[in-house]
Amino acid sequence: MQILVLNSGSSSIKYRLFDADRGGDTPTLTERATGTIERIGETASRTTSRIHRDGDVEELVDEQRVTDHADGFATLVATLEGAGVLTELVAIGHRVVHGGEEFVAPTVIDERVVERIRAQIPLAPLHNPANLTGIEVATALRPDVPQVAVFDTAFHATLPTRAYRYAIDDEVAQTHGIRRYGFHGTSHAYVARRAADHLGRDDLGLVTLHLGNGASAAAIDAGHSIDTSMGLSPLEGLVMGSRSGDIDPAVIFHLVRQAGMGLDEVDELLNRRSGLLGLCGDNDLRVIEERAEQGDQAAASALDVYAYRIRKYVGAYAAALGRLDAVVFTAGVGENSPTMRARVVEGLGLLGVSLAPDRNLAADVRTTPDGVVALHPDDAPVAVLAIATDEEREIATQSLTAIGA
Ligand code: AMP
């Protein structure tokens, strides 16, 4: 059987097709194809696919214009059918960013579910509309296949009240659904499980650090999320590529009242012109690390602010957990930047967190067969792991569970 995973953005669709064997308790997933359709609706679109066949990878590139998401989905199905790899599709799994309070588990989609996801749009106006479009076009073209929504927020549904509540007027909070939801749930769930497998224990107290373009930390107690840094939206918490993370909410009032900025302008400032980009003018950590190495002060300061924020969260989450068995680094920065990992860990010695410098430098998670590399010294009380995240694989696994496969 096969499962297709779709991540629909406003002008792109990313997809992965997995073969799932029915062998053991949990199906083993093997990637069959992966690809991206970019610049949907623009004059020049680009569809790239990598098809696995008999141990080889065939790369296909198509520059034909893709007019809208429906055209995009039809293009990707035609590509997969043309390549002869779409044979026995049993489900399509969709990444949906915000599930609100209602969706706390992967959910098989019907008309009511579509309406309820639509109702969450005010909570995630930047993401949910595109996710919903993906669901609608896939349902229209393949009504024969069950569609499953997997929510970024769902893994954090286990947050206790003390972690999810903001200390604001209760009636306002209840009426408008103002609370911490948390995001990147599929990634935190996936790497937490990999850490538990690697360390051979399922009772771990973990801090997982998803450090990509978006970034978040989670405190995970025996596989359950008990706190996380993103909040009502993905804007809160760590410093990100272009998002500010934590700031005093009064900064917004100040900018509106004193600087005469409109609310949309402040929204754009905090979501698109802040974070690393705001601090030093670049949002790619590789570039910033290079600049800092060449003596650029703004770049060096941006790295310092970025690492310090993460370090504070590790300390806070160790306190929230009351113990700490492992710190997990994942996503673009966490998997690939030994220097950033070293900056974060510096000063965490009081929690028993340390790195073996040679292991940290040599770590290459993507070429390690199980995608897990231990970075700590052999005698360290706390494990430090770099783990290759795989959100689409997690969505595929959860979708198969949801349809009972
Ligand atoms: P993601 O959103 O997980 O794809 O992560 C994207 C970010 O990872 C990019 O903006 C880069 O800053 C960062 N990144 C990727 N590779 C490296 C690397 N080798 N060193 C430092 N940062 C990296």
Side-chain angles (χ1 to χ4, degrees):
M1 58 185 174
Q2 294 184 308
I3 171 135
L4 180 65
V5 174
L6 295 185
N7 184 351
S8 307
S10 55
S11 65
S12 70
I13 300 175
K14 289 189 193 141
Y15 79 86
R16 258 165 97 189
L17 178 69
F18 294 96
D19 287 339
D21 87 23
R22 297 160 213 254
D25 290 349
T26 47
T28 311
L29 297 172
T30 311
E31 182 179 285
R32 198 73 202 277
T34 179
T36 313
I37 306 174
E38 294 165 288
R39 302 196 292 265
I40 294 173
E42 295 178 27
T43 42
S45 311
R46 188 178 164 86
T47 303
T48 47
S49 302
R50 290 165 57 85
I51 313 280
H52 296 268
R53 223 188 325 238
D54 308 325
D56 282 336
V57 179
E58 186 185 345
E59 300 227 18
L60 304 172
V61 179
D62 184 348
E63 307 259 319
Q64 258 193 56
R65 179 158 189 252
V66 175
T67 51
D68 54 21
H69 282 70
D71 188 18
F73 184 68
T75 302
L76 89 80
V77 169
T79 305
L80 294 173
E81 282 176 342
V85 291
L86 194 63
T87 50
E88 39 169 349
L89 196 59
V90 297
I92 301 179
H94 296 267
R95 176 186 183 216
V96 179
V97 168
H98 215 309
E101 289 194 293
E102 197 168 332
F103 294 109
V104 300
T107 305
V108 178
I109 297 168
D110 57 19
E111 275 175 31
R112 191 198 68 86
V113 171
V114 167
E115 281 322 304
R116 295 312 303 159
I117 295 173
R118 200 184 307 284
Q120 315 294 344
I121 286 179
L123 286 171
L126 301 179
H127 298 101
N128 271 28
N131 303 157
L132 204 52
T133 305
I135 290 170
E136 286 171 334
V137 301
T139 310
L141 198 71
R142 291 303 301 263
D144 55 315
V145 178
Q147 316 267 334
V148 182
V150 177
F151 301 90
D152 270 20
T153 45
F155 179 60
H156 303 298
T158 48
L159 255 55
T161 311
R162 64 180 178 220
Y164 75 67
R165 246 185 115 171
Y166 293 120
I168 62 167
D169 178 89
D170 191 47
E171 199 185 320
V172 172
Q174 300 278 352
T175 307
H176 300 284
I178 308 293
R179 51 161 287 179
R180 177 180 311 287
Y181 292 97
F183 298 86
H184 290 145
T186 48
S187 178
H188 289 293
Y190 180 80
V191 298
R193 194 149 14 81
R194 300 312 312 274
D197 290 347
H198 184 82
L199 298 172
R201 281 175 53 189
D202 55 15
D203 62 344
L204 297 169
L206 288 177
V207 176
T208 51
L209 300 169
H210 177 108
L211 309 177
N213 219 346
S216 65
I220 300 176
D221 187 358
H224 302 290
S225 177
I226 62 153
D227 206 347
T228 192
S229 58
M230 284 177 168
L232 173 83
S233 81
L235 183 55
E236 192 181 350
L238 303 181
V239 176
M240 305 179 219
S242 68
R243 284 177 243 157
S244 63
D246 295 336
I247 56 157
D248 179 348
V251 169
I252 299 165
F253 318 141
H254 185 83
L255 290 174
V256 170
R257 293 190 186 123
Q258 309 300 327
M261 290 173 82
L263 266 186
D264 288 343
E265 241 179 302
V266 181
D267 189 328
E268 199 257 343
L269 171 80
L270 297 180
N271 274 298
R272 299 194 196 280
R273 289 194 287 130
S274 295
L276 291 169
L277 184 68
L279 287 165
C280 73
D282 271 306
N283 65 356
D284 188 324
L285 202 88
R286 282 163 290 202
V287 176
I288 301 169
E289 285 181 337
E290 256 176 56
R291 279 175 52 190
E293 214 157 279
Q294 286 157 12
D296 183 320
Q297 283 308 306
S301 171
L303 295 176
D304 209 24
V305 174
Y306 183 92
Y308 176 69
R309 183 82 53 87
I310 300 168
R311 203 181 313 141
K312 276 207 299 193
Y313 269 93
V314 176
Y317 286 175
L321 287 159
R323 67 204 165 97
L324 186 59
D325 296 307
V327 175
V328 176
F329 285 92
T330 193
V333 174
E335 291 169 23
N336 298 305
S337 175
T339 42
M340 183 48 73
R341 291 192 297 248
R343 275 175 196 275
V344 169
V345 166
E346 202 181 285
L348 288 177
L350 87 164
L351 297 175
V353 179
S354 65
L355 288 171
D358 50 337
R359 289 181 181 170
N360 182 41
L361 265 182
D364 187 350
V365 291
R366 294 281 159 185
T367 58
T368 307
D370 71 348
V372 183
V373 182
L375 308 172
H376 53 279
D378 287 334
D379 58 353
V382 178
V384 182
L385 306 173
I387 302 184
T389 195
D390 197 335
E391 292 170 274
E392 293 87 8
R393 190 175 289 273
E394 180 67 20
I395 291 170
T397 304
Q398 292 193 19
S399 299
L400 287 171
T401 307
I403 62 160

